[in-house]
């Protein structure tokens, strides 16, 4: 009687599809999470546990998400989920940054396109439009973030523009006002004449810019030594338009200077024979060449310090610039380029301003917000600074002060928004002093207590805090929280009255920031102060102050959160942005940092390492990846990358990720298929399991340790590589491969099959949980395939505990050797198959020659099972092997001392398990199969009756 043996084989059975179809599957899972209110369910599950608060750095609400947003939020989500699954209550409140220039700019653009002037629009209406713009993009971004699988309190996010947030920002600023660290000053700030505002350092980009360069003579009026009488000091600058603002000249005390007498000049040269000029000796030749001086004699040499006390005249002396220009020592002067003298315009440079202030020199305001010279500037009033270079050069030439002019392309600050070149402009601004009340010292002490991932972040933030200037917090714009300060007309000092502050806070809380701009000042000043005695400040706050204060209106007041946060996590650029503004705001008001740890990640580059740009066509958008591959692929990319450096993404990398995904999915599918109908009664105790199963459990123990370490160190890519290798190499190519025979063909109640199914169940339990923070959609799909039910979610689970007694180092060492031997056998069988000697490994019965180091290991191992062969003969590796090496297969480098000869198995082929064995036909009921298979079929038939 011939049997249909195929139906007696336990082939894997599952509805879990091979192809994921993530782009359409993920939205279904999202809907399920929404319906079951997964975030709320997690909070219930986590009630009473220790809280973990990752405080979200607010993205700016002004456009679709780009790949950098995706990286940032996925990393946050992975960490939150890992914390939740390691026994914490990971509460995550996402937020948005809403005020500031980018949105204001967009609304202005809209008006410009409609040929309307922004200044004609009522300011309240303008701000309302900014608010609506932000609201629109918050909704868009919220959906896009959710689509990435980011779990958080999306129904109750925070924004910097709620009235409550605005009021708290006013209150926080009030703390700086009251303690005396908010000060009014005039200082050159980087200024955009296009946006008409001061820019923060984080808003500045450096690009190449071609400038006019000039060499200018400053005639000596008061000589510190007789040789200087009648001479002129030569300066060089790349910003001729700053000459009207010149008030001093700086030299380096240790620099060698030379006094030269011009003897002959080239035709058309600006220098004249007989002139005496002072320049740094090392730059003398360059200057002479530029100025067309063909012959000269060095009359005198001196050190910079010898020049102390010298005073020059302004080169435009006699044209309204009739003041003295002192020559001062400064340590920022060098001899890299120029003349070794720096022209000092205190209103147009940070170094200039500091030097002038130290010497009590004025820092005149020469330029208005549009970039035009003020009326009081002689010769140039009303001229735009970007058009002033030529007129200045002409005036200098006419005054006989110009020695040479030229062009230079160099790196120059530009606005990140309008891309327009910036200028340093002296403006009245509000500052938070770094030193007046010890803010710098407090902040530096706080930095020392913070943990940084990677650790290099500490030095970076520390260095920035150490050297940063006072924080310029004022902006001359409309869309933001006002600097709610009144300045006393007489004293010029800000009014520090807590009652006034409280009235302002109350008004903003009820009506938003419009209250400040639309109310009569008496509303805030109250009966105590006469409105006529004060000027109301109409500047708004730097948005970095808003976001720097999020801890005060998110972490502190929300009962579900905690202050300080456990972690802030953003791109490395935030050392000078949010990490720093939050640190300073909090140290200035609370004396400590609002976070205990900081994690920074790199930027996302294109596949070839280039910056992504529309013109290069290498931009990868998260929406595109999700549409083509699914969010889980993007998440895999994040956890598989070393985020501490810049990350790369592009078509090839995404293809690799999707291959990795397929391998993970196949592993999960194998587990589901072979656990079909698994019953608790099949479960076998670990002590009764074969060594192979115990080895798998040991690997689970190892991986569990790695997982917990990764969750502690917040570094996932080494873990992820290991998890992937485990699935691909340890399971698919080894354990599953070996156990297919028992799983498919073994007797249902055989100990090997029961042990295997018990371990598969463990594997499913662990792998599905371990993958949950990473590929959150697929993990859910997997979990539901095995545990269908309305309230079920893998994301309500924790990482399963791994019993300590799964660890077996001795066994692990032994199986390393076994796998080495197997590698040689597999190699030999593959070669035989390629040579068409065999079609399947089951046709072979290889002979393994192994030297003494393997003898112990080889004993008691079911080698045919391990090698998936019909038989294996083990022999000693002796001289005979060495001599006949040519006929044997070996991997002498990788696995020395092992060689394999492939021989064909002898016997009959079992029609059920396809092994070639000599007991096929031994059972008269089932003559086509081997003894094991006959038993299995008989057992199956009996069970079916
Ligand atoms: Zn068989």
């Amino acid at each position: 009687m011939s049997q249909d043996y195929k139906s007696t084989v336990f082939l894997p059975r599952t509805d879990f599809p091979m192809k994921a179809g993530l782009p359409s599957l993920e939205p279904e899972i999202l809907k399920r999470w929404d319906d079951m209110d997964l975030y709320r369910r997690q909070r219930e599950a986590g009630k009473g546990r220790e809280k973990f608060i990752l405080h979200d750095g607010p993205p700016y609400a002004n456009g679709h998400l780009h790949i950098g947003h995706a990286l940032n939020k996925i990393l946050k989500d992975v960490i939150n989920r890992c914390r939740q699954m390691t026994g914490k209550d990971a509460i995550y409140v996402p937020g948005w940054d809403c005020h500031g220039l980018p949105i204001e700019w967009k609304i202005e653009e809209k008006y410009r396109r409609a040929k309307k002037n922004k200044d004609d629009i009522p300011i309240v209406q303008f701000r309302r439009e900014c608010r609506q713009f932000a609201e629109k993009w918050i909704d868009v971004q919220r959906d896009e973030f959710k689509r990435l699988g980011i779990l958080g309190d999306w129904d109750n996010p925070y924004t910097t523009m709620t009235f409550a947030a605005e009021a708290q920002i006013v209150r926080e600023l009030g703390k700086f006002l009251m303690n005396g660290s908010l000060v009014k000053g005039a200082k050159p700030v980087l200024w955009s004449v296009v946006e008409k505002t001061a820019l923060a350092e984080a808003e500045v980009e450096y690009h190449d810019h071609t400038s006019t360069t000039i060499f200018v003579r400053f005639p000596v009026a008061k000589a510190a030594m007789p040789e200087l009488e009648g001479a002129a000091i030569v300066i060089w600058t790349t910003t001729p338009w700053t000459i009207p603002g010149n008030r001093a000249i700086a030299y380096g005390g240790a620099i060698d200077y030379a006094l030269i007498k011009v003897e002959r000049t080239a035709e058309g040269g600006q220098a004249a024979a007989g002139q005496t000029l002072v320049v740094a000796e090392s730059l003398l030749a360059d200057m002479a060449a530029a100025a067309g001086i063909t012959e000269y004699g060095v009359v005198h040499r001196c050190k910079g310090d010898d020049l102390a006390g010298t005073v020059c005249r302004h080169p435009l002396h006699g044209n309204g610039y009739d003041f003295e220009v002192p020559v001062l020592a400064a340590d920022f002067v060098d001899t890299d380029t120029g003349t070794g003298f720096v022209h000092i315009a205190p209103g147009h440079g940070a170094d200039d301003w500091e030097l002038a202030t130290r010497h009590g020199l004025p820092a005149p305001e020469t330029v208005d917000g549009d970039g035009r010279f003020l009326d009081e500037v002689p010769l140039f009033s009303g001229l735009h600074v970007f058009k002033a270079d030529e007129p200045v050069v002409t005036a200098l030439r006419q005054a006989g002060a110009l020695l040479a002019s030229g062009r230079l392309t160099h790196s120059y600050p530009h606005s990140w928004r309008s891309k327009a070149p910036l200028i340093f402009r002296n403006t009245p601004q509000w500052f938070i002093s770094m030193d007046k009340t010890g803010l710098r010292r407090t902040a530096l002490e706080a930095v020392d207590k913070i943990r940084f991932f990677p650790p290099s972040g500490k030095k970076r933030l520390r260095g920035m805090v150490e050297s940063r200037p006072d924080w310029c917090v004022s902006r001359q714009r409309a869309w933001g929280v006002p600097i709610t300060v009144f300045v006393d007309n007489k004293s010029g000092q800000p009014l520090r009255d807590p009652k006034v502050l409280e009235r302002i806070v109350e008004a903003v809380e009820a009506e938003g920031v419009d209250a400040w701009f639309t109310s009569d000042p008496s509303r805030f000043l109250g009966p105590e102060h006469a409105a006529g005695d004060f000027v109301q400040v109409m500047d708004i706050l730097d948005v970095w102050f808003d976001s720097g204060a999020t801890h005060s209106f998110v972490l502190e007041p929300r009962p579900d959160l905690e202050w300080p946060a456990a972690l802030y996590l953003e791109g490395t650029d935030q050392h000078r942005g949010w990490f720093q503004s939050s640190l300073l705001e909090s140290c200035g008001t609370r004396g400590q940092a609002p976070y205990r740890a900081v994690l920074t990640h790199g930027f996302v580059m294109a596949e070839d390492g280039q910056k992504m740009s529309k013109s290069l066509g290498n931009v990868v958008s998260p929406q595109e990846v999700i549409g083509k591959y699914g969010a889980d692929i993007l998440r895999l990319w994040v956890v598989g990358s070393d985020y501490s450096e810049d990350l790369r993404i592009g078509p090839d990398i995404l293809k690799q990720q999707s291959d990795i995904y397929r391998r993970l999915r196949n592993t999960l599918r194998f587990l589901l298929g072979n656990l079909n109908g698994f019953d608790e009664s099949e479960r076998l105790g670990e002590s009764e399991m074969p060594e192979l199963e115990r080895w798998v459990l040991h690997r689970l123990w190892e991986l569990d340790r790695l997982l917990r370490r990764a969750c502690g160190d917040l570094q996932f890519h080494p873990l992820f590589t290991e998890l992937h290798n485990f699935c691909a190499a340890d399971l698919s190519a080894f354990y599953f491969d070996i156990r297919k025979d028992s799983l498919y063909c073994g007797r249902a109640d055989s100990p090997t099959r029961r042990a295997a199914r018990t371990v598969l169940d463990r594997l499913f339990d662990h792998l599905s949980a371990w993958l949950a923070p990473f590929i959150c959609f697929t993990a859910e799909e997997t979990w539901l395939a095995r545990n269908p039910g309305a309230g079920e979610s893998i994301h309500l689970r924790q990482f399963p505990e791994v019993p300590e007694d799964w660890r077996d180092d001795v066994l692990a060492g032994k199986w390393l050797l076994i796998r080495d031997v197997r590698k040689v056998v597999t190699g030999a069988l593959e070669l035989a198959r390629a040579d068409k000697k065999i079609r399947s490994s089951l046709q072979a019965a290889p002979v393994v020659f192994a030297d003494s180091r393997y003898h112990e290991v080889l004993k008691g191992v079911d080698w045919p099972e391990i090698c998936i062969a019909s038989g294996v003969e083990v022999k000693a590796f002796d001289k005979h092997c060495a001599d006949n090496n040519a006929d044997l297969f070996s991997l002498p480098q990788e696995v020395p001392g092992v060689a394999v000869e492939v021989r064909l198995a002898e016997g009959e082929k079992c029609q059920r398990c396809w092994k070639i064995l000599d007991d096929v036909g031994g059972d008269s009921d089932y003559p086509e199969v081997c003894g094991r298979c006959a038993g299995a079929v008989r057992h199956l038939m009996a069970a079916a009756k």
Side-chain angles (χ1 to χ4, degrees), residues 910 912-914 917 929-930 932-933:
C910 168
R912 186 164 175 270
C913 70
W914 297 359
L917 298 167
V929 300
C930 69
R932 186 270 310 257
C933 284

Side-chain angles (χ1 to χ4, degrees), residues 286-338:
D286 293 347
M287 189 280 294
I293 300 168
T294 48
E295 280 178 38
Y296 59 86
V298 175
V299 182
H300 186 70
R301 287 187 174 86
C302 67
K303 285 280 179 197
D305 284 335
D306 301 329
L307 299 169
T310 301
V311 176
C312 291
R313 282 197 300 273
H314 193 279
L316 297 174
H317 187 86
N319 292 294
Y321 295 85
D322 303 333
F323 43 78
E324 295 188 330
V325 176
V327 183
L328 307 169
D331 52 15
F332 54 79
V333 180
D334 61 37
T335 53
D336 292 345
T337 49

